[in-house]
Amino acid sequence: MTVFTYGIVNAKTSILNVMEVEQWEEKDVELFAMHQSNHMIIKNVRMALHSVAQKFPTNMKEYGNTGCASIPLLLCDMYGSKQVEQPSHAILCAYGVGLTCGSIATDLSNIHFYEPVNK
């Protein structure tokens, strides 16, 4: 339960810190790519940020918790083989082992993603 609470509280704080530095509001962010550990953590972070589910994609049904590969795998899954517009305002947030948490703001619009291997 401690790790669950830690993930929710610190992911939200980390994301808000990045948004403040970038001077972004929730409406400016097109994608929140979260570590794919637990649907409930992602849902609670989304609700705490007053955002919509479409901005918080998940792929845990396909892969489970893949640890440190979860965010790159999520992005490759979303953009690797699809001809869809990639977001220019994205926040990536990871948390986990050792009760650590970190987030970055990034522009994914000009990055080439490859389809996941062994899908």
Side-chain angles (χ1 to χ4, degrees):
M1 194 61 166
T2 302
V3 173
F4 183 82
T5 303
Y6 179 90
I8 295 168
V9 170
N10 289 284
K12 174 191 170 191
T13 301
S14 180
I15 290 168
L16 288 174
N17 288 342
V18 168
M19 290 171 63
E20 181 180 346
V21 169
E22 295 296 322
Q23 298 180 347
W24 292 351
E25 296 180 19
E26 188 284 332
K27 65 180 174 54
D28 300 318
V29 181
E30 300 162 81
L31 172 73
F32 294 92
M34 302 284 297
H35 169 54
Q36 300 291 294
S37 64
N38 179 298
H39 281 288
M40 289 304 296
I41 291 175
I42 295 170
K43 179 181 177 181
N44 279 280
V45 171
R46 175 182 57 80
M47 291 170 47
L49 293 171
H50 307 287
S51 191
V52 294
Q54 293 83 352
K55 291 186 180 186
F56 286 80
T58 62
N59 65 352
M60 286 172 272
K61 285 183 182 177
E62 290 82 14
Y63 303 104
N65 179 353
T66 57
C68 63
S70 71
I71 294 173
L73 184 57
L74 175 69
L75 296 174
C76 287
D77 214 23
M78 292 176 63
Y79 304 117
S81 63
K82 300 174 182 88
Q83 299 299 317
V84 296
E85 189 173 337
Q86 296 170 195
S88 60
H89 289 77
I91 295 179
L92 285 54
C93 178
Y95 49 87
V97 178
L99 299 179
T100 57
C101 183
S103 298
I104 64 166
T106 188
D107 178 350
L108 300 175
S109 63
N110 291 314
I111 296 177
H112 183 84
F113 292 96
Y114 297 90
E115 220 175 312
V117 177
N118 299 327
K119 183 171 181 182

